Amino acid sequence: MKSGHVSNFQQLSKFNTLKDFNTSMEQWYLDIHQQKLLTKSELIALKRLVRFSASVFGVCNAKIGTIVAATHNGNFGISRSTFKRMLLKVQEINLITIHHTFNNGKQGHSVYVFNCYQSTKESNSDPLQDSIEPLQQEQIEPAETINLSKANKHNIDIRKDNVIKGIPIEFSSLVMTYGYTPRETIEFWKCVRNLTQHYNEFIEDYVDYYAGLDKCWLGIRTFKQCIVNMKLGYNIRNIYGYFYKICEQILNAEWKMLIA
């Protein structure tokens, strides 16, 4: 493959829009976090590569040195070897395909092509262990308690009742499956919306990493944690305030990882 400007490799892109790319990366990030596939430094390297892959959706041919230098903020920054370790690991899970280019017989810049998401989850994979522990989908099931058994008392039409204007269907479906009413679902979503609106100006600066701060993903992850804590017997006086606090912790953790 001949070296050239990144626009020359547009045909290698697997995505039609930046939103498609971000949606795919959201799923990849979730698997990476849950299975601890990358170290913190390697994850920073991946996220920086993602930022360089926004102009041509999911394709980058920047020099390694350029990408590594962009991670340095004051005294902190990843090394070239860290970036290369990250590349080896993400190739193993088929997240990235690397194409080598040549110019006049000499090797040029490598072209990094992100692949569409495909699950890397294993039935025995370990969840991410941090202050807020995300859960695998198969671990979440309706609880048989007074607070969580409302779904058995109402005939919820998934196709009809779970559609609430302005709220992602994935989020509303999950919340209402646990018996919460549309009005209560709206209150949960207000917590996510009110919290994330303070980050809007930063999200615009890091639009190619928007998947990492996606409101739907954030809301779902927060709600799952709330459900687990309720099943564990945590004393929760105000479910909305508790939901907001967990959501804030998750968002802060993701944001610190991004700007580190």
Side-chain angles (χ1 to χ4, degrees), residues 77-253:
I78 66 168
S79 65
R80 190 182 184 91
S81 60
T82 297
F83 187 87
K84 289 185 174 181
R85 284 198 306 272
M86 177 274 294
L87 289 178
L88 290 174
K89 291 182 179 181
V90 296
Q91 285 183 91
E92 289 180 357
I93 62 174
N94 200 34
L95 169 53
I96 288 178
T97 299
I98 300 179
H99 299 272
H100 299 293
T101 66
F102 296 88
N103 188 14
N104 296 325
K106 297 181 180 180
Q107 186 171 344
H109 304 163
S110 296
V111 179
Y112 309 104
V113 179
F114 284 85
N115 297 316
C116 297
Y117 171 75
Q118 56 185 24
S119 179
T120 62
K121 291 181 179 179
E122 300 290 341
S123 59
N124 61 348
S125 61
D126 295 326
L128 174 66
Q129 297 177 349
D130 53 15
S131 58
I132 298 298
E133 182 177 344
L135 303 170
Q136 299 178 22
Q137 182 65 31
E138 59 269 22
Q139 293 176 286
I140 301 299
E141 57 184 30
E144 299 177 356
T145 65
I146 295 177
N147 291 333
L148 302 176
S149 62
K150 296 180 183 178
N152 296 327
K153 300 179 181 179
H154 300 281
N155 294 322
I156 298 175
D157 187 337
I158 297 297
R159 295 184 178 179
K160 182 178 179 181
D161 297 339
N162 282 19
V163 178
I164 304 175
K165 184 178 180 181
I167 299 180
I169 183 66
E170 295 87 351
F171 179 80
S172 58
S173 295
L174 175 63
V175 175
M176 295 174 66
T177 295
Y178 283 85
Y180 289 98
T181 66
R183 184 178 297 276
E184 291 170 329
T185 303
I186 292 172
E187 290 301 315
F188 280 117
W189 187 249
K190 282 183 180 179
C191 294
V192 179
R193 187 185 61 197
N194 292 340
L195 180 61
T196 55
Q197 70 180 4
H198 301 299
Y199 289 77
N200 282 346
E201 60 181 285
F202 301 108
I203 291 175
E204 291 175 1
D205 291 338
Y206 295 91
V207 63
D208 48 324
Y209 180 64
Y210 180 76
L213 298 177
D214 180 77
K215 288 187 285 188
C216 181
W217 172 85
L218 180 63
I220 289 174
R221 183 177 175 188
T222 302
F223 185 78
K224 287 180 178 181
Q225 189 64 47
C226 283
I227 292 297
V228 170
N229 289 355
M230 292 170 70
K231 292 171 73 173
L232 290 174
Y234 285 40
N235 183 19
I236 303 174
R237 297 181 179 179
N238 184 331
I239 184 60
Y240 303 117
Y242 189 74
F243 179 91
Y244 186 95
K245 185 64 177 179
I246 292 181
C247 188
E248 184 177 39
Q249 291 178 14
I250 294 173
L251 183 56
N252 285 339

